Structure formats: structure tokens, C-alpha cells
Amino acid sequence: MIRDITIGQYYPQSSVIHRLDPRVKLLGTVLFVISVFLIHSVPAFIIVTAAMVALIALSKVPVSFMLKGLKSIFMIILLTFCFSLFLTPGDSLFKIGFLNATEQGLKTGLYMVMRLSYLIIGSSLMTLTTTPNQLTDGLEKGLGCLNRVHVPVHEVAMMMSIALRFIPILLEEMDRIMKAQQARGADFESGNLIQRAKGLVPLLVPLFIAAIRRANDLAMAMEARCYHGGQGRTKMKPLHYEKRDRTAYLLMAVYMIAICVLRGVM
């Protein structure tokens, strides 16, 4: 399950999505998340699904690798569906003891499952096609106007970039620690929920120590290179909009207009 988390990982590939400006991908991800919460009808879900399938095809990222990220939140998705199915009032479908499954609950549960799945896939698509350096540059350039109100945009972008870069590193570290503990006889599978939670202690302690050590090494490396923030810094690869970026903005505008129209009509 540790290897199934795809958020924060980068999948190198030569595709149109990979070559887009990071500002375009950041805005596109925000608009996609907004659209997922706006839709509440079958035609709107069809449009969102078609857009997501087209983006995955253009990114050339394997569908199996993209869907692998859903395994890590399977229990959350299952609990969300069960809560919606049994706790939403409406016309009864069937009963399990004192629990009453309703038709409205089934519809709400399916919508919630699709929303959660689309959110994970959409967020993963951005990180899989954008390097941490590109994300930092895109955030800093896109939110540069906030510098006028004394918001430390560069520092915030740097922290987000480091956090995303540390996700796969810490997952690999946790996987390595888990295998080492299992080789010494540790059991993380058997027992009840409380026993499994106690069994995670031998994992969390060395993981936190490793994370603190890596953070300290990174801080020392940045100080050794005289890093002092974004003031006066230049970019090795300045961001410039290309024709494909303008086309992407146009397609995003058409997409959001279609979602808003469907929400107002349906």
C-alpha cells in the first residue's frame, strides 16, 4: 500500500501535458477540483469523465499507474459510500438490522465515490506530469502579485515543493523500515485495530528520526549554498507562455462554461 500512493511522484514522459506551463496545470487542477464539486447530474459527470480520460491519454501516463493511487484511500471511499447509503433519508431499498439503505443514499454515495476518485486522480495527474522545481516556479510566478501585500510567495512555494518532494522519499524510507522490521519478526497484519496501531510504533519512531535528519541535511545544504530567499534570485529556465498554453486556457474556459451551464439547467 505504501507504493500505491502516487501524489508527489513524477512520471517522466514526453507528452503535451508534460510540456505545458506549470501555471496552466496549477490553474487547470484548481478548476477541475471546483468542477468536481459543482456537478450533480449525469451529463455533467460524463463531461468531467471525458475531460479526465482525455487528459490521461494526452499525458501518456499508464492508466494502471494512475488508478494505483486509489488503493491507498480505498477504506475512506468505502466508508464514505456506506455512510451515504445508510444515513441519507429517502425511499428504502433494503435493510440490514437497524440500518436502512435508501435510494437517495445510493445516488449520493455513488456521487461521493466518484468525486473522491476524481480528486485523487486529478491531483495525481498534476504531480505526475510536473517536477517539483516546475511547481515551485509556477506557484511563485502565478502568485507573484501577492508580494505587493507582503505575502512570502517564494517561501510558501518552496515549502510546498519540498513537501511534495519528500512524500516519495519518506514512503520509500517507510517501506524500507517496514521490511527491516518484518525481517526481525515484526507482524503488521494480524491482530485487532488497536494491536495494529501499536505495531506501527516501531515504524513511526525511526521514520520521524529519518525525516528530521533529512530536513536538517537539507537546511545545511541550503545554507552552504547561501540560500536566503527569493529576493533578487533569477531563474535558470524562465517561464514563457507558448501557443499550446493559450490553447489550454481556452479549453479550460469552454469546459468551465459547460459545467456552469449544466449546473444551472439540470
Side-chain angles (χ1 to χ4, degrees):
M1 183 175 292
I2 298 300
R3 297 179 179 269
D4 294 334
I5 299 177
T6 56
I7 294 180
Q9 299 186 31
Y10 175 70
Y11 192 92
Q13 192 62 268
S14 176
S15 69
V16 177
I17 304 298
H18 283 74
R19 293 193 296 270
L20 284 175
D21 191 288
R23 291 170 291 181
V24 177
K25 287 184 275 190
L26 286 168
L27 179 61
T29 303
V30 172
L31 293 179
F32 181 79
V33 171
I34 294 174
S35 68
V36 167
F37 284 103
L38 287 178
I39 55 180
H40 64 284
S41 61
V42 175
F45 266 106
I46 292 175
I47 291 179
V48 173
T49 304
M52 187 176 63
V53 171
L55 289 174
I56 294 175
L58 290 173
S59 69
K60 298 182 181 179
V61 178
V63 178
S64 58
F65 188 84
M66 189 75 66
L67 296 177
K68 187 172 66 173
L70 297 178
K71 295 181 181 179
S72 59
I73 64 164
F74 174 76
M75 289 303 300
I76 297 177
I77 293 177
L78 181 61
L79 288 175
T80 302
F81 177 77
C82 292
F83 283 144
S84 300
L85 177 63
F86 293 109
L87 300 181
T88 303
D91 301 329
S92 178
L93 289 176
F94 60 89
K95 289 186 177 182
I96 302 178
F98 64 91
L99 298 176
N100 181 29
T102 62
E103 182 179 349
Q104 289 76 6
L106 177 62
K107 181 179 179 181
T108 303
L110 291 175
Y111 279 175
M112 290 300 297
V113 168
M114 294 180 70
R115 285 191 175 101
L116 286 174
S117 303
Y118 287 5
L119 287 176
I120 295 298
I121 294 175
S123 303
S124 300
L125 183 62
M126 182 189 67
T127 57
L128 288 170
T129 59
T130 314
T131 64
N133 289 337
Q134 290 174 339
L135 281 175
T136 303
D137 294 343
L139 282 171
E140 186 176 357
K141 189 75 172 180
L143 302 177
C145 58
L146 297 179
N147 285 321
R148 299 178 181 178
V149 292
H150 305 291
V151 176
V153 176
H154 175 80
E155 286 74 12
V156 172
M158 179 64 70
M159 286 189 295
M160 293 183 64
S161 174
I162 293 174
L164 287 174
R165 180 171 293 185
F166 263 61
I167 290 175
I169 294 175
L170 291 179
L171 290 177
E172 292 178 4
E173 186 75 24
M174 187 171 183
D175 187 53
R176 190 180 303 113
I177 296 172
M178 183 178 292
K179 289 181 178 178
Q181 296 288 354
Q182 288 175 338
R184 291 169 173 82
D187 186 8
F188 302 107
E189 302 296 333
S190 61
N192 54 35
L193 185 61
I194 297 178
Q195 291 174 338
R196 290 185 182 183
K198 290 181 179 179
L200 292 177
V201 175
L203 292 177
L204 297 178
V205 173
L207 182 64
F208 275 116
I209 294 174
I212 293 173
R213 185 183 297 116
R214 288 181 181 275
N216 184 57
D217 292 342
L218 177 61
M220 293 179 63
M222 294 173 72
E223 289 180 359
R225 289 165 175 78
C226 301
Y227 175 80
H228 58 275
Q231 188 67 27
R233 294 178 63 90
T234 59
K235 301 295 182 183
M236 182 178 178
K237 296 179 180 179
L239 297 179
H240 298 290
Y241 283 125
E242 304 289 343
K243 182 179 180 180
R244 58 176 175 267
D245 300 316
R246 299 184 181 90
T247 304
Y249 276 133
L250 179 61
L251 292 175
M252 284 190 288
V254 174
Y255 169 79
M256 289 304 298
I257 290 173
I259 294 297
C260 293
V261 169
L262 285 175
R263 179 174 175 81
V265 172
M266 304 301 293

